Amino acid sequence: MLREVTPDDSRDIQRINNTELNEGCTLADTTSYLTTLLKDPHQHVLRVSVDPLTDQVLAYLHAELLTFTYTQPMFIITTLAVSGAYDYDKHASALLTSLLNLARRRRMTTVRLGFIPDPATTAFWTQAGFTPQSHGLWDCIL
């Protein structure tokens, strides 16, 4: 089940950050960062995939709206992380699909990865329609 992030998700997001992304972030810092990001829902898209029985966060996505003077606005995905005990493709696909649909509703033409995919997830991003660009990042043209 997908839903918007709430401040109550801080503990689960901190756990995913520390185990899957090797970030050493404290719970207080994670809560502070989330609280700040959640104040601007037009600028930051924060969604989670949760276990419908326990409401435990299994995966999360953070994307930020980028605006330019030379091209249309786009989302840049800064984080898409799935707890290692769960199916990466299933949860990542659901979160990514929700973001791509939001981008289409906002009439965007591009969603960009804010990171270079690691070898373990390259096939996932390729199947999702992302391709490497000359600037080194990967774009999905909608």
Side-chain angles (χ1 to χ4, degrees):
M1 177 177 87
L2 301 183
R3 64 169 171 74
E4 301 298 321
V5 169
T6 69
D8 292 338
D9 296 322
S10 295
R11 184 173 304 283
D12 286 338
I13 288 174
Q14 180 217 14
R15 176 185 43 79
I16 292 171
N17 286 344
N18 290 345
T19 58
E20 304 306 322
L21 304 178
N22 296 317
E23 299 293 335
C25 197
T26 67
L27 179 58
D29 285 344
T30 301
T31 302
S32 174
Y33 301 151
L34 273 179
T35 300
T36 299
L37 295 172
L38 289 169
K39 289 179 182 176
D40 194 355
H42 183 75
Q43 185 71 25
H44 297 278
V45 177
L46 291 149
R47 296 198 171 145
V48 291
S49 178
V50 299
D51 181 311
L53 300 176
T54 65
D55 205 40
Q56 177 184 6
V57 174
L58 309 177
Y60 83 97
L61 175 138
H62 173 217
E64 186 169 357
L65 175 66
L66 294 181
T67 55
F68 306 92
T69 59
Y70 56 87
T71 190
Q72 293 183 353
M74 69 177 70
F75 284 127
I76 185 164
I77 300 170
T78 62
T79 311
L80 180 57
V82 178
S83 182
Y86 300 95
D87 183 341
Y88 182 92
D89 286 355
K90 174 184 173 183
H91 296 285
S93 292
L95 288 164
L96 181 58
T97 297
S98 73
L99 179 68
L100 296 176
N101 288 338
L102 177 61
R104 288 182 185 100
R105 284 194 304 274
R106 291 191 183 180
R107 303 196 188 291
M108 294 179 184
T109 59
T110 305
V111 174
R112 177 168 289 163
L113 290 183
F115 52 88
I116 307 298
D118 64 55
T121 63
T122 299
F124 168 81
W125 292 108
T126 301
Q127 289 176 341
F130 285 80
T131 56
Q133 304 298 306
S134 60
H135 49 64
L137 297 177
W138 289 45
D139 287 352
C140 178
I141 307 303
L142 303 175

